[in-house]
Amino acid sequence: MADSDQQLKSDALLEQMKTHLTTDAGKETIKKVGLVYQLNIAPKKLGFNEVIYTVDLKKGEVKKGAYEGGKPDATFSFKDEDFLKIATGKMNPQIAFMRGAMKIKGSISAAQKFTPDIFPKPAKL
């Protein structure tokens, strides 16, 4: 049973990303990546009570909920704190994947473009 009203630490970063995608740096990211990612973020344990976000780097949108335009290019599952570590560059995505801290479905080449560079630099997290 997913409680979509629970607060994740990642919520603040994903809100910042919405704003970031309207800036010139954000538009560069959209041009460079041009893919759709679905993020399944679990508060404590992978696969439980996940909050789903769609990061659409084709249209430049971040929204809560599953991707509606078909299948996302890649879907990632991680715990809230691991997602923050990856997004802020404190954890290497490949190492996170090998340790089982992150699960990936979909295109591997799309997944490889999912790097900390697509996220805004943390100002006040």
Side-chain angles (χ1 to χ4, degrees):
M1 192 173 92
D3 176 11
S4 60
D5 293 332
Q6 61 195 345
Q7 278 300 117
L8 295 173
K9 294 178 192 133
S10 309
D11 289 339
L13 178 71
L14 289 157
E15 276 305 312
Q16 275 185 345
M17 188 158 186
K18 282 182 193 175
T19 311
H20 173 69
L21 290 174
T22 62
T23 65
D24 290 342
K27 289 184 174 111
E28 270 308 299
T29 302
I30 294 164
K31 259 193 271 179
K32 195 169 82 179
V33 180
L35 298 165
V36 178
Y37 295 115
Q38 184 173 304
L39 309 179
N40 299 343
I41 304 171
K44 300 260 183 292
K45 190 171 178 207
L46 277 181
F48 291 90
N49 300 327
E50 291 177 326
V51 176
I52 298 173
Y53 276 93
T54 298
V55 177
D56 187 335
L57 295 175
K58 286 180 181 166
K59 293 185 198 153
E61 303 176 327
V62 177
K63 60 185 194 324
K64 238 178 190 168
Y67 181 55
E68 289 152 14
K71 283 175 86 169
D73 294 296
T75 300
F76 297 91
S77 301
F78 14 48
K79 291 189 311 210
D80 192 22
E81 62 189 49
D82 291 334
F83 169 68
L84 276 177
K85 286 179 191 167
I86 292 165
T88 55
K90 293 186 174 107
M91 186 190 288
N92 179 312
Q94 284 93 351
I95 290 171
F97 177 72
M98 287 189 284
R99 284 189 186 150
M102 172 169 81
K103 296 198 179 342
I104 303 170
K105 282 188 203 133
S107 159
I108 295 301
S109 62
Q112 287 172 334
K113 290 186 178 182
F114 185 83
T115 65
D117 302 339
I118 71 172
F119 295 98
K121 298 295 163 259
K124 303 183 284 290
L125 273 184

